[in-house]
Amino acid sequence: MPGRLSNLFRNLTTTQRVTIGGAIAVTLLVIIVLVRWASTPEMVPLFSNLPPEDAGKITQWLDENSIEYTLEQGGSRILVPRANQYQARIELAQEGLPAQRSTGYEIFDQTNLGMSEFVQKLNFRRALEGELSRTVSSLEEVDEARVHIVLPEAALFREQEKPATASVTLKLRSALKDAQVSGISHLIASSVEGLESDKVTIVDSRGNVLSNMQAGDPLLAMSNSQMQLKNQVENNLTQKVETMLQQLLGPNKSIVRVSVELDFTQSQITSELFDPERTAVRSEEINETSMNVNTPQSVNPVDPTQPPLESTESQLETNNITNYEVSKTLTQETRNTGGVERISASVLIDGVYRDVEAEEGEMQRTYFERTPDEMTKIEQAVRGALGVDLDRGDEISVINIPFEQPEVLDTGGGFMDWLKNNWSMMLRNILIGAAVIGILLYVRNLLTASTNAARQVWERRIASLPGGGSMPALPGASSDGGEALALPDLDSELPEEVVEANQLQQRLVDFVEEKPEVTARLLKTWLVDFGG
């Protein structure tokens, strides 16, 4: 077996030997790479987004414990084999790594009897900032957060007190929505005594302000909310009409735009209605006065000589005061803001396209408008979807227009117009093609001439055999008399122009093999010259 392989290898040409050797080398290289790849452990993240000081301590601990690791993201991310991931995290946590970037209420775990009131207040603020930083960092979109709180000293008079403020710096994984930014502001404001949400400033790691700076101005805040409500109502109505028309006409067959005017006037009406027919006694007061009145007489009727007698009269006076309550109805009416005052809508409807046979027999795509009955039904459907009220002044327009231009038949001048616009490119391509064909024909003629000349010489030499002992003999060939048959000297019989052509061809081949870059540049220059 080894002998056959060696004989087979010796019978191969140099090109075949090089090809087989290269294939064997590539196969061995692929096997080695696959073996190394299969034996390499799967690397998983141990920690990410580490500061340089924590990354340095962790890598030192990994080196001491002979754990393989790799660094990514500029050294802020450490990867270890999956088998060592959880154990390494537990042991590093016992070492206090990675260190906490913010200190929370654990700052009060150690009792310091000599702590002054100022230091205690300072530690309380540090603990509060740390706890808020951890809470905000727990959000999915936030990678890291830092909170700074300013708590001014209490003043003697309320008008001299300064409000508490806070600032938050966020390192984000993804963008935050306005509702999330507002939520962070209210979270911090609710955690700090005397802090209002409009006094919280939130910025990202690039310095962009995320908090709503208009919250401090009620008018601007109201305008912003009104615009949001208006856009929300318009988008809702537009979506209702678009989904309806898409199911009716098909996709990309309609365009809907809706404009809504909302009433943001805030009003409160209070009315009182009195009913004189319905009364009730509210209170009644009766006063009675009794008096005795003495009236002297002019002459004593019994004895005129005696003094006149007096007559006594008793009088009773009654005073009655009655208060009535009139029935009254109190009505209080409050008008909510955001009511629809007016709706304006514009709907564009595409027509129908059909293939119609033209005069030349070709099919032409032609546009046809929709019938008035179809447009009337579509308009009624749109009115119902939008809730249009003509008495309120609503306006709606449904227009049928083509969304695409119909194809126009070619009148015969299309090719000439195309040729006029693209003659330079067409001429360039023709010249390049002609040059390539000319080179191929030239090479073909050279090969044909060489082959014909060699055939003629070979035929003449064959006719003169046996003989020509000065020429080398063919292996295993002999004449009838036992003489070895020799090859004719072809070069001596070839025409001079054929020999020069063969020599020129061989020099060109040698030049291309020795200087391929120069040959490529030369061919590129020829092509550009032909194309110019």
Side-chain angles (χ1 to χ4, degrees):
M1 189 66 179
R4 293 181 180 179
L5 292 177
S6 61
N7 292 333
L8 179 62
F9 188 76
R10 282 196 299 269
N11 294 331
L12 296 176
T13 62
T14 304
T15 303
Q16 292 174 339
R17 293 176 182 178
V18 172
T19 303
I20 293 175
I24 294 173
V26 171
T27 304
L28 292 176
L29 181 61
V30 170
I31 293 174
I32 293 172
V33 171
L34 290 176
V35 171
R36 293 195 61 182
W37 175 76
S39 60
T40 301
E42 181 184 1
M43 306 298 287
V44 295
L46 179 63
F47 295 108
S48 301
N49 301 319
L50 292 171
E53 56 273 12
D54 287 349
K57 294 178 182 179
I58 292 174
T59 53
Q60 182 180 359
W61 184 88
L62 294 174
D63 291 332
E64 293 175 355
N65 291 269
S66 302
I67 298 177
E68 183 181 358
Y69 66 89
T70 57
L71 299 177
E72 292 183 352
Q73 298 179 359
S76 62
R77 185 181 185 186
I78 302 177
L79 283 75
V80 296
R82 180 177 292 275
N84 304 108
Q85 181 185 17
Y86 300 110
Q87 186 66 27
R89 285 182 179 177
I90 293 173
E91 295 182 4
L92 285 170
Q94 294 177 352
E95 299 291 335
L97 294 174
Q100 292 288 344
R101 304 179 195 179
S102 57
T103 304
Y105 287 123
E106 63 270 8
I107 195 173
F108 297 107
D109 293 342
Q110 298 179 357
T111 304
N112 188 357
L113 298 178
M115 183 183 300
S116 63
E117 183 181 0
F118 172 76
V119 176
Q120 190 172 6
K121 290 182 179 180
L122 182 61
N123 288 340
F124 172 75
R125 191 179 66 184
R126 288 177 55 195
L128 184 58
E129 292 175 349
E131 293 293 334
L132 290 175
S133 299
R134 295 177 186 177
T135 304
V136 177
S137 299
S138 64
L139 299 179
E140 183 178 355
E141 290 80 3
V142 180
D143 186 19
E144 183 180 351
R146 293 200 64 183
V147 179
H148 302 278
I149 300 174
V150 178
L151 298 175
E153 295 291 336
L156 182 60
F157 300 99
R158 181 178 296 273
E159 58 271 10
Q160 295 179 354
E161 289 184 355
K162 296 182 179 179
T165 58
S167 60
V168 184
T169 304
L170 302 178
K171 185 178 180 182
L172 302 175
R173 296 190 183 97
S174 59
L176 291 175
K177 300 180 181 178
D178 294 338
Q180 293 174 316
V181 175
S182 178
I184 294 175
S185 301
H186 286 81
L187 170 67
I188 296 175
S190 301
S191 303
V192 180
E193 183 180 1
L195 179 61
E196 300 292 338
S197 59
D198 58 337
K199 299 297 181 182
V200 180
T201 303
I202 302 176
V203 298
D204 60 6
S205 56
R206 298 183 178 180
N208 299 319
V209 179
L210 304 179
S211 56
N212 187 8
M213 302 305 294
Q214 298 177 354
D217 192 341
L219 295 178
L220 293 177
M222 185 179 298
S223 300
N224 188 22
S225 61
Q226 290 175 359
M227 289 299 299
Q228 292 179 357
L229 179 60
K230 183 176 183 294
N231 294 333
Q232 183 178 358
V233 173
E234 291 177 348
N235 294 334
N236 186 22
L237 294 177
T238 302
Q239 186 178 6
K240 288 172 61 177
V241 177
E242 284 183 345
T243 53
M244 180 186 66
L245 294 179
Q246 284 180 2
Q247 295 181 3
L248 177 64
L249 306 176
N252 301 324
K253 289 293 184 179
S254 61
I255 301 175
V256 181
R257 295 294 181 268
V258 178
S259 177
V260 178
E261 295 181 7
L262 302 180
D263 183 13
F264 294 104
T265 304
Q266 297 181 358
S267 61
Q268 184 175 2
I269 301 173
T270 303
S271 60
E272 291 185 5
L273 179 61
F274 294 92
D275 188 3
E277 300 296 333
R278 299 177 60 186
T279 60
V281 177
R282 180 178 183 182
S283 62
E284 185 177 4
E285 181 180 356
I286 301 175
N287 297 323
E288 293 183 356
T289 305
S290 178
M291 296 184 302
N292 293 325
V293 179
N294 296 324
T295 305
Q297 297 181 0
S298 58
V299 179
N300 191 341
V302 179
D303 188 0
T305 60
Q306 296 296 323
L309 298 177
E310 292 182 1
S311 61
T312 302
E313 182 181 359
S314 177
Q315 295 181 356
L316 180 62
E317 182 179 355
T318 302
N319 188 9
N320 191 356
I321 300 176
T322 303
N323 295 323
Y324 295 92
E325 187 72 28
V326 180
S327 177
K328 138 179 115 167
T329 302
L330 179 63
T331 304
Q332 187 172 2
E333 179 183 357
T334 302
R335 293 186 59 186
N336 295 327
T337 61
V340 177
E341 279 193 342
R342 186 170 178 269
I343 296 177
S344 299
S346 177
V347 181
L348 303 181
I349 303 297
D350 194 8
V352 181
Y353 298 89
R354 299 189 183 94
D355 293 332
V356 179
E357 185 177 356
E359 296 178 358
E360 291 80 2
E362 298 180 355
M363 300 303 294
Q364 179 184 0
R365 187 173 174 82
T366 307
Y367 170 78
F368 293 92
E369 293 184 353
R370 297 187 181 272
T371 62
D373 184 44
E374 290 179 341
M375 296 301 298
T376 302
K377 293 180 179 179
I378 293 174
E379 183 176 355
Q380 291 177 355
V382 173
R383 288 177 182 273
L386 294 177
V388 174
D389 186 1
L390 298 179
D391 297 335
R392 189 173 53 188
D394 296 347
E395 293 182 0
I396 180 173
S397 60
V398 181
I399 304 174
N400 185 200
I401 61 173
F403 285 7
E404 60 182 70
Q405 296 296 329
E407 297 179 359
V408 182
L409 288 176
D410 188 5
T411 57
F415 176 75
M416 298 303 298
D417 295 337
W418 178 86
L419 185 62
K420 184 185 299 182
N421 297 328
N422 301 276
W423 67 270
S424 59
M425 181 184 66
M426 188 174 179
L427 180 62
R428 175 176 175 272
N429 295 334
I430 292 175
L431 292 177
I432 293 175
V436 173
I437 294 174
I439 293 173
L440 295 177
L441 292 176
Y442 176 72
V443 174
R444 178 178 177 276
N445 292 334
L446 287 179
L447 295 176
T448 303
S450 300
T451 304
N452 293 334
R455 184 182 294 109
Q456 293 175 4
V457 173
W458 178 262
E459 291 176 353
R460 288 197 300 267
R461 286 296 183 180
I462 291 297
S464 63
L465 292 177
S470 61
M471 293 183 298
L474 289 171
S478 60
S479 64
D480 296 337
E483 294 182 353
L485 295 177
L487 288 172
D489 187 7
L490 299 179
D491 293 340
S492 62
E493 299 295 334
L494 291 175
E496 182 178 358
E497 61 274 8
V498 175
V499 175
E500 292 179 356
N502 291 336
Q503 293 176 355
L504 177 60
Q505 182 179 0
Q506 186 62 37
R507 287 200 298 270
L508 288 174
V509 172
D510 295 339
F511 179 78
V512 171
E513 292 179 352
E514 293 176 358
K515 300 179 179 180
E517 298 180 355
V518 177
T519 305
R521 290 198 298 270
L522 183 60
L523 290 175
K524 186 176 180 180
T525 304
W526 288 353
L527 292 176
V528 172
D529 293 339
F530 279 115

